[in-house]
Amino acid sequence: MEDAGFILGSYALTLAAVAMFAWRTIRSGRRLAEQVPDEDKYWL
Amino acid sequence: MNGDHDDDDTGNTMTTTDPAQTADTVSITAPRSTGTSATRVVGVAAIVAMAWLVAFGLGFSPADRDQEEAVRILYVHVPTIWLAYLAFVVTAIASALYLFTSKQSLGWDRAAGASAEIGVVFVAVTLVVGALWGRLTWGVFWQWDARLTTTALLFVTYVGYLAVRRLGGSHRQRARRSAVLGLIAVLEIPLVHWSVRLWRSLHQEATVLDTDGDIDMDGLMLFSLFVGVIAFTLLYAWLMMHRVRAMAMEDLVEDRGLDAALAARRAEGGA
């Protein structure tokens, strides 16, 4: 079942890539939020 | 803000009540991050849609007559490149809005940068997943074929765009030079899309975004593709909201660091 490895691998790689990018985005947001007062966060 | 609930996504006020201290409520106020109720709703919807994509892509949709099981990879491969196109078009539109509106809001510049970052991730996924599909369908991971080569060129161009954004200078300088590049780089998208018609290509022609408007796909296959498009669109929207807000804070932190450095320099000069 060589095909199954490639197919499952493609889904796993995709999910891992977007999860890593999402995690990096959230982490940088949290780190920066500590340095910026709430009144400067226009979305709040 | 003063509710008695944890709000971890936004980093809002977290209030904990110790049962031993019935009279005293201990409040820990964490800085509020890039999350809001809107990001939570979109985030949950994206996760649900991703789960649907996995279920339909790997389970419910049938195997293809020609490609057999390898067709399942296309439910990820095709939506990621469509969303990458969308992300780069958004970069171009935001760049134009920065350059050609009288206000020249840096918000447009940050939207352009955030969208390009997400687009680069999606193109990278397209290329890697496409290589796996190519190995199953053509027997090779890579061919210097027109579609593959132009897609790789698109990836390199936008990596370059992100590098240009980090060259230094003021926010306005960054915004102006990257906006010009964003408007030029988007011209590659028609080249990538039409490459299969312009040159002899190993890659198949468009099945859905075809000019004749005739979609030759099984209903469940088309639905799986549609679920993929919805899932990655929601993911794109969620990432955009977080990334644009994080970039706004990056600019603020950078400005404050610069102000502090200038103040220190002036104080040094005065002493």
Side-chain angles (χ1 to χ4, degrees):
Chain A
M1 275 303 278
E2 189 194 23
D3 286 17
F6 279 91
I7 293 162
L8 293 174
S10 66
Y11 277 74
L13 274 169
T14 303
L15 295 177
V18 296
M20 268 179 63
F21 185 70
W23 178 73
R24 182 181 158 272
T25 302
I26 292 292
R27 197 188 56 167
S28 76
R30 286 189 178 166
R31 185 175 43 80
L32 288 159
E34 290 170 7
Q35 302 170 58
V36 174
D38 283 353
E39 56 267 25
D40 287 338
K41 297 169 187 167
Y42 65 85
W43 56 93
L44 296 179
Chain B
M1 309 308 109
N2 297 318
D4 55 354
H5 63 280
D6 287 358
D7 194 349
D8 213 17
D9 185 39
T10 56
N12 282 350
T13 302
M14 291 186 292
T15 307
T16 55
T17 307
D18 186 343
Q21 296 174 298
T22 47
D24 265 336
T25 300
V26 182
S27 292
I28 306 159
T29 306
R32 292 194 282 170
S33 187
T34 51
T36 55
S37 53
T39 59
R40 266 194 300 281
V41 169
V42 176
V44 169
I47 290 170
V48 171
M50 282 288 170
W52 270 57
L53 170 63
V54 172
F56 276 90
L58 294 178
F60 302 140
S61 71
D64 184 63
R65 186 188 58 201
D66 300 322
Q67 298 179 36
E68 298 178 355
E69 299 294 341
V71 73
R72 299 182 189 283
I73 295 178
L74 299 187
Y75 305 132
V76 172
H77 178 68
V78 176
T80 49
I81 194 63
W82 283 356
L83 261 294
Y85 289 169
L86 174 79
F88 297 147
V89 168
V90 169
T91 295
I93 292 170
S95 299
L97 286 168
Y98 174 77
L99 279 179
F100 304 121
T101 52
S102 55
K103 199 181 168 192
Q104 293 208 320
S105 167
L106 284 172
W108 291 123
D109 168 62
R110 291 191 282 263
S115 195
E117 280 184 13
I118 301 164
V120 164
V121 172
F122 284 169
V123 177
V125 168
T126 301
L127 286 169
V128 173
V129 167
L132 296 175
W133 178 83
R135 176 69 180 79
L136 290 179
T137 313
W138 303 329
V140 287
F141 285 106
W142 184 263
Q143 274 283 317
W144 291 104
D145 162 89
R147 171 59 71 82
L148 276 66
T149 307
T150 51
T151 308
L153 189 66
L154 185 73
F155 174 73
V156 171
T157 303
Y158 278 92
V159 168
Y161 169 89
L162 295 179
V164 164
R165 290 187 66 84
R166 293 178 181 274
L167 278 180
S170 70
H171 299 327
R172 296 260 167 223
Q173 286 170 329
R174 174 197 71 194
R176 201 173 306 115
R177 66 173 175 248
S178 55
V180 171
L181 188 54
L183 284 172
I184 296 168
V186 78
L187 300 175
E188 272 186 61
I189 292 176
L191 186 74
V192 176
H193 188 70
W194 295 107
S195 59
V196 285
R197 290 205 166 179
L198 290 171
W199 296 286
R200 282 164 58 90
S201 176
L202 189 61
H203 198 282
Q204 68 193 67
E205 289 194 14
T207 308
V208 179
L209 298 179
D210 202 1
T211 45
D212 62 9
D214 185 24
I215 304 169
D216 299 323
M217 274 182 90
D218 170 79
L220 206 49
M221 286 177 168
L222 190 61
F223 182 73
S224 303
L225 191 63
F226 175 73
V227 170
V229 173
I230 296 291
F232 284 103
T233 304
L234 288 167
L235 182 69
Y236 169 76
W238 183 82
L239 287 168
M240 270 297 278
M241 285 191 276
H242 280 290
R243 196 64 196 107
V244 167
R245 291 165 185 176
M247 285 171 115
M249 290 194 291
E250 272 171 13
D251 284 355
L252 270 172
V253 169
E254 213 177 292
D255 285 343
R256 286 186 185 165
L258 193 65
D259 288 345
L262 282 171
R265 192 68 181 268
R266 283 196 196 102
E268 239 174 55

